[in-house]
Amino acid sequence: MTALEIGIASFPVLMLLIFLRVPIGLSMFLVGLGGLIWVTDGTQVAFGRLKSETYTTFSSYSLTIVPMFLLMGHFATLGGMSTALFKAAEGFLGHRKGGVAMAAIGACAGFGAICGSSLATAATMGRVALPELKQYGYAGGFSTATLAAGGTLGILIPPSVVLVIYAILTEQNIAKLFLSAFIPGLLAALGYVIAISVYVRLFPESAGTRPPVPMRERFAALFHVWPVLLVFGLVVGGIYLGWFTPTEGAAVGAFGTGFIAWTNGGLTRETLADSFLVTARSTAMIFFIVLGAGFYNGFLALTRVPQELADFVVSQGLSPWMVLALILAFYLVFGCLMDSLSMILLTIPIFFPVISVMDFGLLSLPAMQADAAMEVLKAGVPEGMGAEMLASIQDAIAAGAELTREQMKELGIRVTEGRVNRIEAEYVAIWFGVLVLIVVEVGLITPPVGMNLFIINAMDRKTRMIDTYKAVMFFVASDLIRVVILVAFPIITLLPLMLTQ
């Protein structure tokens, strides 16, 4: 067999191991190590890579952000921030039809802003909100479906552990990815609220009502949310303003939530030790998956599977949008079978080279030249520019034509095709990353094997899984509509990034 054939044959072997319930990290590690031995016809290269890959993986400065964000989420739970968020949202929304469920979504969005984990958000908010939903007469399936869907906001609203891993894999800026995921995250929360509103109108008996809370109590509950706003503003705002790097921001966030938990009495010597232990276990699991993916992806790179796949797709003449749709459909299906981190680590090194060679037309040279020229002319006509040159520049802008080298020299700008291509490549990478994150998260709540559904249903044994399946389809529909919108209008994802450049 050729190296390429060995690389292709590794996929069914890897899938078999995963379906046999071998841990995903171990599966990728074994297939990658075995594949390297087979391709290189010996153990020297494979065992040499075992030493180098292990060191480079676990000594990566960028990966230190992972335990910090995980620890921040644990401290936030100990500090009662999840409860404070839910009570504040419930005070303003609880008296409406479906309002307690809407409050749960709002609390999930807020907690996701300081947690970064989908499963942790679902589990934490399930413990806080599920009793309240039951108390006010919400149907079991509707309650569990709401909390399972709300949990997916944990890794979409920044900061997000999975976005950090994606940024490392594709060599993108973590802060820019966080910024671009913000609007899609808010759209997700809004879409879920709309889904709840539609559901309770179609099935009025599925949601009870609770008496309105006096305005004074509402604002008192809102006051207790200030630690969340403080931590989120300090971490995310500090990263965007350049006060510290994402890794330093994660450390600041962990310290801030830990201090708040200590002042609230939730952080003691025992709970601190438990937090460190849980964080260490979660970090070890993530790092081992990263290590396994590194081995497997190194083996694939040696067999040239990603490059050959990219060349094959381009040679078929498919439109970039068709290729993107097929990739997202793949993620949607397989996202039901794997967690989001494993899916991204396994597939991004294969699919990203394909997407990178596609021309989505997100930017054009004339448009960027026109924007740069308008910025210059807005400040006044440059000294020494003649009326004829000014008129020719204005005519070129109006016609959507490229500016000549002489015209750009007169304006004092330099916008070349190479620069446009570099910026567009970055935009495509960030846009694609947010889209992948969304569709993988949809898989977490898609029947029959959505992981969030099982986590929440385990907290409510009296609710049949089939009831959760029926109710969650309204949230899945909301997600699919959002994916279509973000694919059709990339500007929604990229607008914050464009405004800051």
Side-chain angles (χ1 to χ4, degrees), residues 313 316-330 354-355 358-360 431 487:
V313 171
Q316 298 306 300
L318 298 175
S319 73
W321 302 98
M322 177 62 71
V323 174
L324 178 63
L326 292 174
I327 291 176
L328 294 182
F330 172 88
V354 176
I355 291 296
M358 296 287 165
D359 182 13
F360 291 93
W431 174 54
V487 169

Side-chain angles (χ1 to χ4, degrees), residues 25-38:
L26 182 59
S27 299
M28 290 190 290
F29 177 78
L30 291 176
V31 174
L33 186 63
L36 282 172
I37 293 174
W38 192 356

Side-chain angles (χ1 to χ4, degrees), residues 346-386:
L346 177 61
T347 59
I348 286 300
I350 300 171
F351 290 146
F352 185 70
V354 176
I355 291 296
S356 298
V357 298
M358 296 287 165
D359 182 13
F360 291 93
L362 300 184
L363 290 176
S364 69
L365 179 58
M368 283 198 66
Q369 288 177 337
D371 290 341
M374 293 302 294
E375 283 293 323
V376 173
L377 295 176
K378 190 182 297 183
V381 178
E383 185 177 351
M385 179 182 291

Side-chain angles (χ1 to χ4, degrees), residues 49-93:
R49 187 172 177 82
L50 179 62
K51 176 182 67 175
S52 60
E53 187 73 29
T54 303
Y55 174 78
T56 54
T57 296
F58 297 138
S59 64
S60 171
Y61 176 74
S62 298
L63 279 178
T64 56
I65 195 173
V66 173
M68 291 293 100
F69 277 142
L70 293 175
L71 186 62
M72 185 168 71
H74 290 300
F75 284 163
T77 302
L78 293 174
M81 297 184 189
S82 55
T83 303
L85 283 165
F86 179 68
K87 291 298 182 183
E90 188 183 32
F92 285 90
L93 298 172

Side-chain angles (χ1 to χ4, degrees), residues 71-73 75-76 79 81 114 231 252-262:
L71 186 62
M72 185 168 71
F75 284 163
M81 297 184 189
I114 54 173
V231 171
V252 170
F255 176 81
T257 50
F259 180 77
I260 293 169
W262 176 70

